[in-house]
């Protein structure tokens, strides 16, 4: 078995590559990644290098994709622009990678006659006040990010319908864990708490997210890749739903920060109030989430505390300017 993993140098992609190679001792992986601000070659440290090939390149580049896919038995696509706030400031890159890039990968996988598993998000369903989204819920994306992901998903379904291609989709709720870029709520809060920086909470902090430990999502992807039916969608939700303010307070307790550092800031434009996802279809394939939020957040805080070598280059690089421009204040040195 040889997989092409697009976006395999990002947060979830690298977690997937490492764990996939661990549980499949005979498998090989080719990672295709453009190494944007969010992707790093060192995210793959610890993966078995003898069975890993790394191609630096863009999923929109037909020739690069054709070269990388050669000899592969399936593609798993994590490659995306993934941050809602950046999509609000600059939607174009999201449409280019998340829609057009998905199309290029799909065509290559179709021509190679192999399975394409698209990694997507619950955000394509929009916000839900009560209950949980299922795979048959209508798509109603709110942000340029989620609209672009929905566009990619619709192409995956259309390629199945039109060409009979072996394509399918997994949609996950909010992931967290080691190696997530600190533009996202959980690692941002952990690093700010470790440095005594203020913690920016959007609006009233009562927006609810359904938190999923990235290793649990990766075990679901392995199950769906092996057992999922072509043309189907599989939702993968986390075991716990929490308002953002409770997430922030839990991190402050674990990282030894003070609640006085919480700072309510201007709300995100078009902010989705609540996400909630039913995983019963994926559970029907035998998958279960194993890491409750309480355990996962403790492991995540500990990982960031123990790995300054991972985040120091980020905090001293482009992220400084991003943070200053977005939050109107500098992060601590
Ligand atoms: P990430 O931003 O950490 O990683 C994205 C990776 O894609 C990076 O390595 C980046 O270099 C690469 N990439 C971006 N544009 C590319 C291009 N044009 N060509 C090749 N590579 C490119 O994102 P993540 O959080 O690991 O998310 C991975 C996937 O999972 C995304 O598709 C995202 O939509 C989806 N997802 C994420 C979450 C979450 O909570 N993080 C939840 C559900 C679904
Ligand atoms: P985020 O991690 O960006 O993920 P998503 O937008 O995909 O859910 O944000 C998670 C929640 O945290 C979301 O409701 C927005 C909120 N948030 C803050 O309150 N402050 C912040 O600085 C950030 C980045 C997010």
């Amino acid at each position: 078995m040889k997989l092409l993993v697009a976006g395999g140098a990002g947060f979830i992609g690298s977690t997937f590559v490492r764990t996939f190679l661990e549980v499949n001792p005979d498998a090989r992986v080719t990672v295709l990644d453009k190494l944007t601000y969010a992707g790093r070659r060192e995210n793959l440290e610890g993966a078995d290098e003898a069975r890993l090939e790394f191609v630096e390149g863009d999923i929109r580049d037909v020739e690069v994709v054709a070269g990388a896919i050669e000899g592969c038995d399936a593609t798993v696509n994590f490659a995306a622009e993934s941050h809602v706030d950046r999509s609000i400031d600059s939607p174009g890159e999201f449409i280019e990678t998340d829609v057009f890039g998905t199309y290029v990968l799909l065509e290559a996988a179709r021509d190679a006659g192999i399975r394409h598993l698209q990694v997507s998000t619950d955000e394509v369903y929009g916000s839900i006040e009560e209950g949980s989204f299922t795979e048959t819920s209508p798509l109603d994306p709110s942000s340029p990010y989620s609209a672009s992901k929905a566009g990619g998903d619709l192409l995956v379904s259309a390629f199945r319908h039109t060409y009979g291609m072996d394509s399918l989709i997994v949609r996950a709720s909010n992931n967290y864990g080691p190696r997530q870029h600190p533009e996202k709520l959980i690692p941002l809060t952990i690093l700010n708490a470790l440095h005594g920086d203020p913690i920016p909470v959007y609006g009233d902090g009562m927006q609810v997210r359904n938190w999923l430990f990235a290793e649990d999502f990766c075990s679901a992807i392995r199950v769906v890749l092996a057992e999922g039916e072509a043309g189907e969608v599989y939702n993968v939700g986390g075991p716990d739903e929490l308002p953002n303010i409770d997430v922030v307070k839990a991190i402050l307790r674990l990282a030894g920060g003070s609640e006085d550092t919480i700072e309510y800031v201007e709300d995100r434009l078009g902010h989705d109030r609540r996400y909630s996802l039913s995983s019963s279809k994926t559970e029907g394939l035998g998958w279960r989430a194993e890491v409750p939020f309480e355990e996962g957040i403790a492991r995540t805080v500990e990982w960031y505390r123990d790995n300054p070598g991972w985040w120091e280059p980020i905090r001293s690089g482009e992220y400084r300017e991003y943070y200053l421009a977005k939050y109107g204040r500098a992060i601590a040195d």
Side-chain angles (χ1 to χ4, degrees), residues 197-198 315 320 323-324 327-333:
D197 279 336
R315 268 182 72 99
R320 295 193 79 79
Y323 196 94
L324 181 62
Y327 296 98
R329 64 159 78 228
I331 43 169
D333 286 330

Side-chain angles (χ1 to χ4, degrees), residues 83-85 123 174 183-185 188 200-202 207 209 244 268 271 275 327:
H83 189 37
V84 173
D85 290 328
E123 300 190 26
N174 282 66
E183 66 192 355
K184 305 272 169 54
L185 176 70
L188 182 152
V201 172
Y202 297 165
Q207 303 83 5
R209 296 293 183 264
N244 293 337
R268 172 186 280 172
H271 199 169
Y275 299 138
Y327 296 98

Side-chain angles (χ1 to χ4, degrees), residues 5-283:
V5 179
F11 159 50
I12 309 174
S14 64
T15 307
F16 176 78
V17 170
R18 195 175 307 102
T19 49
F20 180 80
L21 288 173
E22 262 165 32
V23 301
N24 296 290
D26 297 326
R28 287 177 301 142
V29 167
T30 298
V31 167
L32 170 61
D33 198 296
K34 190 182 161 192
L35 299 182
T36 67
Y37 77 94
R40 296 166 77 197
R41 184 66 178 87
E42 48 276 47
N43 282 349
L44 289 161
E45 271 168 19
D48 182 354
E49 290 284 338
R51 292 181 289 130
L52 177 63
E53 186 191 352
F54 185 81
V55 179
E56 185 175 341
D58 196 316
I59 58 165
R60 295 168 301 168
D61 185 328
V62 175
E63 278 177 23
V64 166
V65 170
I69 209 169
E70 234 175 67
C72 291
D73 304 297
T75 60
V76 184
N77 181 27
F78 294 91
E81 288 295 336
S82 69
H83 189 37
V84 173
D85 290 328
R86 291 190 194 243
S87 84
I88 292 168
D89 293 338
S90 173
E93 294 158 41
F94 287 72
I95 296 159
E96 285 179 23
T97 289
D98 302 10
V99 184
F100 186 76
T102 297
Y103 149 71
V104 173
L105 280 174
L106 273 171
E107 245 187 8
R110 182 201 62 192
D111 292 350
I114 62 175
R115 167 159 276 204
H116 174 97
L117 178 58
Q118 178 74 3
V119 178
S120 188
T121 166
D122 59 353
E123 300 190 26
V124 298
Y125 300 118
S127 187
I128 188 165
E129 289 289 319
E130 280 176 19
S132 301
F133 287 121
T134 69
E135 289 79 358
T136 55
S137 300
L139 302 190
D140 187 18
S142 323
S143 71
Y145 162 66
S146 52
S148 305
K149 291 296 292 183
D153 286 10
L154 290 174
L155 283 171
V156 174
S157 304
F159 269 59
R160 166 70 190 165
H161 186 82
T162 307
Y163 308 113
M165 176 181 178
D166 182 6
S167 56
L168 67 172
I169 300 168
V170 279
R171 295 190 178 130
S173 59
N174 282 66
N175 276 233
Y176 70 103
R179 298 181 193 80
Q180 185 171 30
H181 191 280
E183 66 192 355
K184 305 272 169 54
L185 176 70
I186 285 185
L188 182 152
T189 303
I190 295 172
L191 293 186
N192 283 20
L194 292 176
H195 289 84
D197 279 336
I199 315 291
V201 172
Y202 297 165
D204 63 2
M206 290 306 291
Q207 303 83 5
V208 171
R209 296 293 183 264
N210 185 187
W211 292 101
L212 173 66
F213 197 58
E215 279 182 20
D216 272 338
F217 183 31
C218 291
S219 68
I221 296 172
R222 292 197 300 275
V223 170
V224 173
L225 184 65
E227 312 287 341
E229 271 184 51
E232 294 293 311
V233 174
Y234 294 89
N235 287 343
V236 186
D240 298 292
E241 288 181 21
L242 285 101
N244 293 337
I245 191 64
D246 289 2
V247 171
V248 165
K249 287 180 179 171
I251 293 170
L252 285 168
R253 277 193 297 278
L254 289 161
S258 158
E259 290 189 13
D260 294 342
T261 59
I262 294 172
E263 195 171 86
Y264 290 92
V265 300
E266 199 180 328
D267 208 353
R268 172 186 280 172
L269 293 178
H271 199 169
D272 282 340
R273 195 70 184 161
R274 175 171 174 263
Y275 299 138
S276 178
L277 207 51
S278 161
S279 308
S280 46
K281 183 170 169 184
T282 308
E283 287 171 355

